[in-house]
Amino acid sequence: MKTVNTTAITEAVARMSQEANYYLGQDVLEGFQKALDEEISVTGKEILQQLIENAKIAREELVPMCQDTGYAVIFVELGQDVRIEGGDFYEAIHEGVRRGYTEGYLRKSIVSHPLERKNTGDNTPAVIHTKIVPGETLRIIIAPKGGGSENMSQIKMLKPADGIEGVRKFVIDTVRSAGPNPCPPIVVGVGIGGTFEKCAQLAKEALLRELGEKSKYPDIAKLEEELLEEINKLGIGPQGLGGKTTALAVNIEIYAAHIASLPVAVNLNCHAARHKETVF
Amino acid sequence: MTQIRLTTPLTDEDVEKLRIGQRVSLNGTIYTGRDAAHKRLVELIAEGKELPFDPKGQVIYYVGPTPAKPGAVIGSAGPTTSYRMDPYAPKLYELGLKASIGKGRRSEGVINALKQNKSVYFAAVGGAAALISRSIKSCKVIAYPDLGAEAIHELVVEDFPVIVVNDTLGGDLYDEGIKIYAAK
């Protein structure tokens, strides 16, 4: 049995909120560089260079890479042999977000009521997804999610008869209709299967994967590759101003489905594909 | 790629010569505004009241910056998605606004308003917020401080980099760019 104190959880979340916004992952930077080498549009190349330069400034000056520092989406994997002590676990996470966004000069983008729209002033509450797993490890991942790309995400309940072609069409149509809005080059998270809400969560989980990490299922890995190729033929390009680089990756997560259902969710991420994790 | 240097306030002649795809470096005073601020501006217009700034010849930047760190002029300040401002934008163009800066497609209503009022729409690079902040030399809130990041700020900019997306002739770089690069 391992014990983790809520103070340590708050500290970790506060630190990760800032780091995720200041430091773009090496995998994404490498994705930019690869895209720059392959991009044929002059404007597209200029934009990719600006994004590389922007990431460098953010890292060196400890400022957010994007002004939309996101909704703090937190994924928790809690080992069943871990004991949390020192107070309310979820409140410890919210407090970490509160502290991280305030002390880190990050933008507070959360309104407490979706219709009244009054800003909470500290970017809380976070959205927290918890999974209980075997063992005595606590893993906390933060994935700050910007509104521009989130707004372009879609979910659809396909018919089983729509099959893989139906999935393909829905993913491509979602990217095409999003066009320049989600800040391409994007990362495309896809969930297939489960129920309505499970599917959406799978799509978001797919965004946590490092760029270049393929699905463990060979048929799904092949679909990821084919979709990426098709998306990059759309011509949308960096910032939607035309070019070859519309997406850096397509990541798909799957789950069992009901005999009557084929849910598909597409969660788009802008080029600032941010996530950081701490393991206790 | 050559850059056209413009200083605000912009004239009809300044914007009429612009064509889609051109790079422009903006200088002088510009104003910020997002959804909530636009809603209030349009309400003031409807009531016939005076606006916090005169839109004539001016440029509005759709941005909600991060808080400035101590000693900094402004935080990170990249463009936000423009379509949320589409219901309000035509009114401001009618009052002489010469340009807006954001990212993403505009509605047909806005594109028509640009043609009718000799105005343009610029894109800045979405997400390049730390880089863009370097061209912002001063920043002060001039209206709606209660809106926080969404308040209207007056910015003084130097060589602020933008790209012409919609010009006074109705051209649209998002359409044209895709046409050129979509695989046949």
Side-chain angles (χ1 to χ4, degrees):
Chain A
M1 177 74 81
K2 176 192 269 176
T3 302
V4 180
N5 196 285
T6 48
T7 317
I9 292 167
T10 296
E11 272 168 23
V13 171
R15 179 176 42 78
M16 287 194 293
S17 308
Q18 298 173 50
E19 288 178 354
N21 275 294
Y22 301 160
Y23 307 132
L24 189 62
Q26 195 55 36
D27 57 331
V28 183
L29 279 172
E30 281 165 16
F32 286 167
Q33 196 56 53
K34 187 165 167 276
L36 182 59
D37 296 341
E38 291 169 5
E39 183 53 70
I40 47 175
S41 147
V42 177
T43 307
K45 270 186 182 295
E46 276 180 22
I47 291 166
L48 289 163
Q49 276 160 347
Q50 286 192 30
L51 296 182
I52 292 169
E53 176 68 13
N54 182 64
K56 187 168 168 266
I57 295 170
R59 175 176 293 270
E60 286 174 2
E61 296 181 6
L62 301 180
V63 293
M65 64 188 85
C66 179
Q67 77 288 343
D68 187 348
T69 51
Y71 209 131
V73 182
I74 312 267
F75 289 87
V76 176
E77 280 178 24
L78 177 64
Q80 63 196 35
D81 297 325
V82 176
R83 197 187 115 79
I84 308 287
E85 66 172 29
D88 184 318
F89 177 58
Y90 288 149
E91 184 39 47
I93 291 175
H94 294 311
E95 179 57 24
V97 168
R98 193 172 287 133
R99 224 184 267 175
Y101 274 73
T102 306
E103 290 168 4
Y105 296 92
L106 307 180
R107 197 180 81 187
K108 289 81 183 172
S109 309
I110 306 304
V111 294
S112 56
H113 185 302
L115 298 175
E116 287 170 4
R117 308 203 69 82
K118 189 177 176 333
N119 201 300
T120 62
D122 58 14
N123 221 55
T124 65
V127 165
I128 307 172
H129 302 292
T130 315
K131 216 183 258 180
I132 309 290
V133 296
E136 51 176 32
T137 297
L138 167 65
R139 187 169 171 228
I140 300 178
I141 305 168
I142 183 166
K145 189 65 171 69
S149 59
E150 192 75 355
N151 286 349
M152 295 296 118
S153 303
Q154 293 191 38
I155 186 161
K156 193 169 186 179
M157 306 306 282
L158 297 181
K159 296 186 295 294
D162 294 329
I164 192 166
E165 286 317 312
V167 171
R168 243 186 248 277
K169 185 173 180 304
F170 179 58
V171 175
I172 300 290
D173 286 350
T174 301
V175 173
R176 188 190 285 121
S177 68
N181 292 349
C183 281
I186 53 177
V187 178
V188 183
V190 181
I192 311 176
T195 49
F196 182 80
E197 83 287 3
K198 174 73 179 174
C199 186
Q201 195 173 330
L202 289 172
K204 180 134 281 164
E205 275 174 18
L207 294 175
L208 299 178
R209 233 193 267 159
E210 294 277 297
L211 297 192
E213 187 192 330
K214 293 312 232 176
S215 167
K216 61 182 177 184
Y217 305 100
D219 60 329
I220 298 297
K222 186 161 164 271
L223 181 60
E224 289 174 346
E225 212 171 288
E226 289 168 355
L227 281 171
L228 179 61
E229 205 173 298
E230 269 182 74
I231 286 168
N232 284 334
K233 280 184 186 162
L234 292 174
I236 295 169
Q239 294 295 311
L241 297 172
K244 281 180 75 171
T245 320
T246 301
L248 299 173
V250 176
N251 297 342
I252 305 176
E253 295 292 333
I254 59 170
Y255 200 75
H258 188 283
I259 47 171
S261 307
L262 175 52
V264 183
V266 183
N267 195 194
L268 300 182
N269 205 125
C270 61
H271 53 77
R274 297 165 286 202
H275 43 94
K276 281 273 171 280
E277 71 168 69
T278 300
V279 177
F280 293 92
Chain B
M1 193 65 72
T2 51
Q3 270 199 349
I4 298 165
R5 204 161 184 278
L6 290 178
T7 303
T8 62
L10 304 180
T11 62
D12 285 358
E13 294 70 42
D14 285 335
V15 297
E16 273 177 314
K17 68 183 181 196
L18 298 176
R19 294 291 174 268
I20 61 168
Q22 286 177 332
R23 314 291 195 277
V24 173
S25 103
L26 280 178
N27 294 274
T29 301
I30 65 173
Y31 298 91
T32 74
R34 289 171 50 105
D35 330 24
H38 270 75
K39 186 164 180 274
R40 291 191 191 180
L41 290 178
V42 168
E43 280 165 5
L44 285 180
I45 296 169
E47 291 162 14
K49 289 185 181 152
E50 202 178 325
L51 298 183
F53 67 95
D54 180 1
K56 204 169 161 39
Q58 296 304 337
V59 179
I60 295 188
Y61 180 26
Y62 304 144
V63 59
T66 61
K69 284 172 103 171
V73 168
I74 193 170
S76 296
T80 199
T81 320
S82 305
Y83 75 88
R84 293 192 308 266
M85 273 55 78
D86 284 359
Y88 312 111
K91 270 269 166 270
L92 293 162
Y93 286 119
E94 281 167 27
L95 292 179
L97 186 75
K98 283 291 124 189
S100 55
I101 309 167
K103 68 176 176 84
R105 285 181 181 278
R106 306 312 300 267
S107 67
E108 216 182 306
V110 172
I111 292 171
N112 285 335
L114 295 175
K115 279 193 282 190
Q116 281 162 13
N117 301 292
K118 294 192 178 114
S119 304
V120 294
Y121 169 54
F122 295 123
V125 175
L131 179 67
I132 289 171
S133 296
R134 290 194 163 177
S135 57
I136 300 172
K137 301 303 166 190
S138 80
C139 168
K140 76 170 182 225
V141 173
I142 60 158
Y144 316 138
D146 60 302
L147 294 179
E150 295 196 66
I152 297 184
H153 300 72
E154 185 183 273
L155 307 180
V156 175
V157 298
E158 257 176 49
D159 295 325
F160 187 99
V162 293
I163 301 169
V164 183
V165 169
N166 295 111
D167 58 25
T168 55
L169 303 177
D172 189 328
L173 184 60
Y174 291 126
D175 286 340
E176 296 309 314
I178 287 183
K179 272 189 209 154
I180 294 168
Y181 294 101
K184 301 290 180 285

Short mmCIF file of all heavy atoms in Angstrom, two decimals, chain B residues 138-162:
data_model
loop_
_atom_site.label_atom_id
_atom_site.label_comp_id
_atom_site.label_asym_id
_atom_site.label_seq_id
_atom_site.Cartn_x
_atom_site.Cartn_y
_atom_site.Cartn_z
N SER B 138 2.63 48.50 -26.56
CA SER B 138 1.94 48.98 -25.35
C SER B 138 0.52 48.46 -25.35
O SER B 138 0.00 48.05 -26.39
CB SER B 138 1.97 50.51 -25.27
OG SER B 138 0.98 51.06 -26.11
N CYS B 139 -0.08 48.45 -24.18
CA CYS B 139 -1.40 47.83 -24.02
C CYS B 139 -2.12 48.51 -22.88
O CYS B 139 -1.59 48.61 -21.78
CB CYS B 139 -1.20 46.34 -23.72
SG CYS B 139 -2.69 45.49 -23.17
N LYS B 140 -3.34 49.03 -23.15
CA LYS B 140 -4.14 49.53 -22.03
C LYS B 140 -5.61 49.21 -22.25
O LYS B 140 -6.09 49.21 -23.39
CB LYS B 140 -3.87 51.01 -21.77
CG LYS B 140 -4.49 51.97 -22.72
CD LYS B 140 -4.34 53.40 -22.19
CE LYS B 140 -5.03 54.35 -23.15
NZ LYS B 140 -4.36 55.53 -23.50
N VAL B 141 -6.30 48.92 -21.15
CA VAL B 141 -7.73 48.63 -21.22
C VAL B 141 -8.47 49.94 -21.39
O VAL B 141 -8.26 50.88 -20.62
CB VAL B 141 -8.20 47.90 -19.94
CG1 VAL B 141 -9.71 47.73 -19.93
CG2 VAL B 141 -7.52 46.54 -19.81
N ILE B 142 -9.33 50.02 -22.43
CA ILE B 142 -10.10 51.26 -22.60
C ILE B 142 -11.59 51.07 -22.35
O ILE B 142 -12.33 52.03 -22.25
CB ILE B 142 -9.89 51.91 -23.99
CG1 ILE B 142 -10.32 50.94 -25.11
CG2 ILE B 142 -8.45 52.38 -24.17
CD1 ILE B 142 -10.64 51.69 -26.40
N ALA B 143 -12.06 49.81 -22.27
CA ALA B 143 -13.48 49.59 -21.98
C ALA B 143 -13.71 48.18 -21.47
O ALA B 143 -13.00 47.25 -21.83
CB ALA B 143 -14.32 49.81 -23.24
N TYR B 144 -14.75 48.04 -20.65
CA TYR B 144 -15.22 46.74 -20.13
C TYR B 144 -14.17 45.95 -19.36
O TYR B 144 -13.95 44.77 -19.64
CB TYR B 144 -15.79 45.89 -21.27
CG TYR B 144 -16.67 46.65 -22.24
CD1 TYR B 144 -16.59 46.45 -23.61
CD2 TYR B 144 -17.60 47.58 -21.77
CE1 TYR B 144 -17.40 47.15 -24.49
CE2 TYR B 144 -18.42 48.29 -22.65
CZ TYR B 144 -18.31 48.07 -24.01
OH TYR B 144 -19.10 48.76 -24.87
N PRO B 145 -13.52 46.57 -18.37
CA PRO B 145 -12.53 45.82 -17.59
C PRO B 145 -13.14 44.61 -16.90
O PRO B 145 -12.43 43.64 -16.60
CB PRO B 145 -12.02 46.85 -16.56
CG PRO B 145 -12.99 47.98 -16.59
CD PRO B 145 -13.62 47.97 -17.94
N ASP B 146 -14.46 44.64 -16.66
CA ASP B 146 -15.12 43.50 -16.01
C ASP B 146 -15.04 42.23 -16.86
O ASP B 146 -15.23 41.13 -16.36
CB ASP B 146 -16.59 43.82 -15.71
CG ASP B 146 -17.38 44.16 -16.97
OD1 ASP B 146 -17.00 45.10 -17.69
OD2 ASP B 146 -18.36 43.45 -17.26
N LEU B 147 -14.74 42.38 -18.15
CA LEU B 147 -14.66 41.20 -19.02
C LEU B 147 -13.29 40.50 -18.96
O LEU B 147 -13.08 39.50 -19.63
CB LEU B 147 -14.99 41.58 -20.47
CG LEU B 147 -16.42 42.04 -20.76
CD1 LEU B 147 -16.57 42.40 -22.23
CD2 LEU B 147 -17.44 40.98 -20.37
N GLY B 148 -12.38 41.04 -18.17
CA GLY B 148 -11.06 40.39 -18.02
C GLY B 148 -10.32 40.32 -19.34
O GLY B 148 -10.14 41.34 -20.02
N ALA B 149 -9.93 39.10 -19.75
CA ALA B 149 -9.19 38.92 -21.00
C ALA B 149 -10.01 39.40 -22.20
O ALA B 149 -9.46 39.69 -23.25
CB ALA B 149 -8.82 37.45 -21.18
N GLU B 150 -11.33 39.48 -22.01
CA GLU B 150 -12.19 39.88 -23.13
C GLU B 150 -12.46 41.39 -23.18
O GLU B 150 -13.22 41.86 -24.02
CB GLU B 150 -13.52 39.13 -23.04
CG GLU B 150 -13.39 37.64 -23.22
CD GLU B 150 -14.72 36.97 -23.52
OE1 GLU B 150 -15.27 37.24 -24.59
OE2 GLU B 150 -15.21 36.22 -22.68
N ALA B 151 -11.85 42.16 -22.28
CA ALA B 151 -12.03 43.62 -22.29
C ALA B 151 -11.47 44.20 -23.59
O ALA B 151 -10.71 43.55 -24.29
CB ALA B 151 -11.29 44.22 -21.10
N ILE B 152 -11.88 45.45 -23.89
CA ILE B 152 -11.31 46.10 -25.08
C ILE B 152 -10.01 46.79 -24.68
O ILE B 152 -9.98 47.62 -23.77
CB ILE B 152 -12.30 47.11 -25.69
CG1 ILE B 152 -13.55 46.37 -26.18
CG2 ILE B 152 -11.64 47.89 -26.83
CD1 ILE B 152 -14.57 47.23 -26.88
N HIS B 153 -8.94 46.39 -25.34
CA HIS B 153 -7.61 46.96 -25.09
C HIS B 153 -7.22 47.82 -26.28
O HIS B 153 -7.58 47.52 -27.42
CB HIS B 153 -6.54 45.88 -24.97
CG HIS B 153 -6.75 44.89 -23.86
ND1 HIS B 153 -7.71 43.92 -23.88
CD2 HIS B 153 -6.06 44.72 -22.69
CE1 HIS B 153 -7.63 43.19 -22.78
NE2 HIS B 153 -6.64 43.65 -22.03
N GLU B 154 -6.46 48.87 -26.00
CA GLU B 154 -5.84 49.65 -27.07
C GLU B 154 -4.38 49.22 -27.13
O GLU B 154 -3.67 49.31 -26.14
CB GLU B 154 -5.96 51.14 -26.73
CG GLU B 154 -5.47 52.06 -27.84
CD GLU B 154 -5.56 53.52 -27.38
OE1 GLU B 154 -6.63 54.13 -27.56
OE2 GLU B 154 -4.57 54.01 -26.83
N LEU B 155 -3.99 48.70 -28.28
CA LEU B 155 -2.61 48.22 -28.43
C LEU B 155 -1.86 49.12 -29.39
O LEU B 155 -2.42 49.59 -30.37
CB LEU B 155 -2.58 46.80 -29.02
CG LEU B 155 -3.40 45.69 -28.36
CD1 LEU B 155 -3.21 44.39 -29.13
CD2 LEU B 155 -2.98 45.51 -26.91
N VAL B 156 -0.58 49.35 -29.10
CA VAL B 156 0.28 49.98 -30.09
C VAL B 156 1.20 48.88 -30.61
O VAL B 156 1.85 48.18 -29.82
CB VAL B 156 1.10 51.15 -29.49
CG1 VAL B 156 2.09 51.70 -30.52
CG2 VAL B 156 0.16 52.24 -29.02
N VAL B 157 1.18 48.68 -31.94
CA VAL B 157 1.94 47.57 -32.51
C VAL B 157 3.01 48.06 -33.49
O VAL B 157 2.87 49.13 -34.09
CB VAL B 157 1.02 46.54 -33.21
CG1 VAL B 157 0.05 45.93 -32.22
CG2 VAL B 157 0.26 47.17 -34.38
N GLU B 158 4.05 47.27 -33.60
CA GLU B 158 5.12 47.55 -34.56
C GLU B 158 5.37 46.30 -35.37
O GLU B 158 5.64 45.23 -34.81
CB GLU B 158 6.41 47.89 -33.80
CG GLU B 158 6.73 49.36 -33.77
CD GLU B 158 7.97 49.61 -32.91
OE1 GLU B 158 8.99 48.91 -33.12
OE2 GLU B 158 7.89 50.47 -32.03
N ASP B 159 5.25 46.43 -36.68
CA ASP B 159 5.47 45.28 -37.58
C ASP B 159 4.71 44.04 -37.14
O ASP B 159 5.28 42.95 -37.02
CB ASP B 159 6.97 44.99 -37.70
CG ASP B 159 7.70 46.14 -38.39
OD1 ASP B 159 7.10 46.76 -39.28
OD2 ASP B 159 8.85 46.42 -38.00
N PHE B 160 3.44 44.21 -36.90
CA PHE B 160 2.56 43.10 -36.52
C PHE B 160 2.25 42.31 -37.79
O PHE B 160 1.69 42.84 -38.75
CB PHE B 160 1.29 43.70 -35.91
CG PHE B 160 0.35 42.71 -35.31
CD1 PHE B 160 0.33 42.49 -33.95
CD2 PHE B 160 -0.55 42.00 -36.11
CE1 PHE B 160 -0.56 41.58 -33.39
CE2 PHE B 160 -1.43 41.09 -35.56
CZ PHE B 160 -1.44 40.88 -34.19
N PRO B 161 2.64 41.01 -37.82
CA PRO B 161 2.53 40.26 -39.08
C PRO B 161 1.16 39.64 -39.34
O PRO B 161 0.66 38.88 -38.52
CB PRO B 161 3.58 39.17 -38.91
CG PRO B 161 3.66 38.94 -37.42
CD PRO B 161 3.22 40.21 -36.74
N VAL B 162 0.55 39.98 -40.48
CA VAL B 162 -0.74 39.40 -40.85
C VAL B 162 -0.75 39.03 -42.35
O VAL B 162 0.13 39.46 -43.10
CB VAL B 162 -1.92 40.36 -40.55
CG1 VAL B 162 -2.09 40.56 -39.06
CG2 VAL B 162 -1.74 41.70 -41.27
#
